[in-house]
Amino acid sequence: MKQQDRYKAIVERFEAEMPAPKTELHYSDPFQLLVAVILSAQCTDKRVNLITPALFEAYPDAKSLAGADLADIFELIKSCSYPNNKTKALKNMACKLLGEFGGNVPDDIDSLMSLPGVGRKTANVILSVVYDRPAMAVDTHVFRVAERLGLTTSSSSPLATERQLVRHIPEEKIAKAHHWLILHGRYVCKARKPECDSCFLSDLCRHFERQTAKSARAAAKARALAKPE
């Protein structure tokens, strides 16, 4: 299958199966989403959603978070991964957001990435979800699923994966595609044990194709060894 044909078929299949995908992080404004995405690094969305209600109640905006005591922030987020680093990142992010952007979450990638705790993935999430830009945030799920499906070649970096996906996916579908790949990786194409037998993309998937061929070769070898002399 040609690469562009694979993209077209997979996008159409996702569109049919998940017509309105969205982030599973809970938030009510751009600032809250930014905080949630920072917290979600190497942490599950489920855990983040347990943490953020009390955090947002205590610090609903950049001004309140910037003025917060580090120990108080830590106490509210200590159940997430790397709470010490994230405590400092959140306060420093809020201070810079307040001092340089008037407390408003910027809408360009360079400004977003200038904020403490915000890398390219986080910036692209904000651009995609908040500002509906054709930005592809590449996390571990996107990186893994894109390669398994055959949408990308074995990439040495998330940036290479991002560029390949953005180049081939129609611009108006990129924001959706970000969620498609994340959700598929989270619930179907799992890291350790992908659920290929129940996957609606298995007939289009390069990984499944390879695994099927490998199983066929193993079965043929076993039959050959079982034949009587």
Side-chain angles (χ1 to χ4, degrees):
M1 178 182 289
K2 293 181 179 179
Q3 186 76 332
Q4 198 55 46
D5 292 337
R6 186 185 300 274
Y7 267 92
K8 184 176 184 296
I10 288 174
V11 166
E12 288 176 351
R13 197 76 60 86
F14 268 128
E15 191 78 74
E17 293 288 332
M18 285 189 273
K22 61 181 181 179
T23 180
E24 293 186 317
L25 291 170
H26 298 165
Y27 70 99
S28 60
D29 58 44
F31 172 75
Q32 289 189 358
L33 180 62
L34 179 57
V35 169
V37 178
I38 290 173
L39 287 173
S40 73
Q42 296 181 298
C43 187
T44 65
D45 285 4
K46 183 178 180 180
R47 169 56 54 187
V48 173
N49 288 337
L50 291 174
I51 293 169
T52 50
L55 182 66
F56 293 156
E57 182 177 2
Y59 311 115
D61 51 30
K63 183 177 181 180
S64 58
L65 186 58
D69 187 85
L70 287 172
D72 293 335
I73 300 173
F74 177 85
E75 189 62 27
L76 290 168
I77 71 166
K78 63 184 180 182
S79 64
C80 76
S81 58
Y82 307 105
N84 286 305
N85 291 339
K86 290 178 181 177
T87 293
K88 295 173 186 176
L90 288 176
K91 182 176 174 67
N92 291 336
M93 176 275 291
C95 288
K96 185 161 186 175
L97 200 63
L98 188 64
E100 297 187 18
F101 301 100
N104 299 311
V105 177
D107 62 356
D108 67 277
I109 193 164
D110 291 333
S111 295
L112 284 165
M113 289 181 64
S114 75
L115 298 170
V118 178
R120 189 175 183 87
K121 184 208 78 172
T122 298
N124 277 334
V125 170
I126 300 303
L127 291 174
S128 173
V129 176
V130 175
Y131 298 112
D132 198 28
R133 303 287 178 75
M136 175 58 68
V138 177
D139 67 355
T140 55
H141 294 304
V142 173
F143 190 86
R144 178 181 70 253
V145 173
E147 196 280 328
R148 281 181 176 173
L149 288 173
L151 296 176
T152 60
T153 55
S154 296
S155 302
S156 59
S157 71
L159 181 57
T161 292
E162 177 190 330
R163 287 172 173 167
Q164 289 180 68
L165 293 172
V166 169
R167 185 164 62 247
H168 290 95
I169 296 172
E171 184 174 301
E172 69 276 10
K173 305 289 186 184
I174 290 174
K176 280 187 176 183
H178 158 68
H179 296 303
W180 287 335
L181 294 169
I182 286 177
L183 295 172
H184 197 64
R186 187 171 291 164
Y187 298 112
V188 182
C189 195
K190 301 173 184 178
R192 294 187 179 181
K193 193 175 181 181
E195 298 178 2
C196 298
D197 291 341
S198 60
C199 177
F200 61 86
L201 295 169
S202 59
D203 60 314
L204 300 171
C205 178
R206 184 177 292 163
H207 173 77
F208 184 73
E209 179 183 327
R210 290 170 177 167
Q211 292 302 110
T212 300
K214 183 179 178 181
S215 297
R217 289 194 298 270
K221 183 177 180 180
R223 288 194 299 271
L225 292 173
K227 287 182 178 180
E229 294 292 336

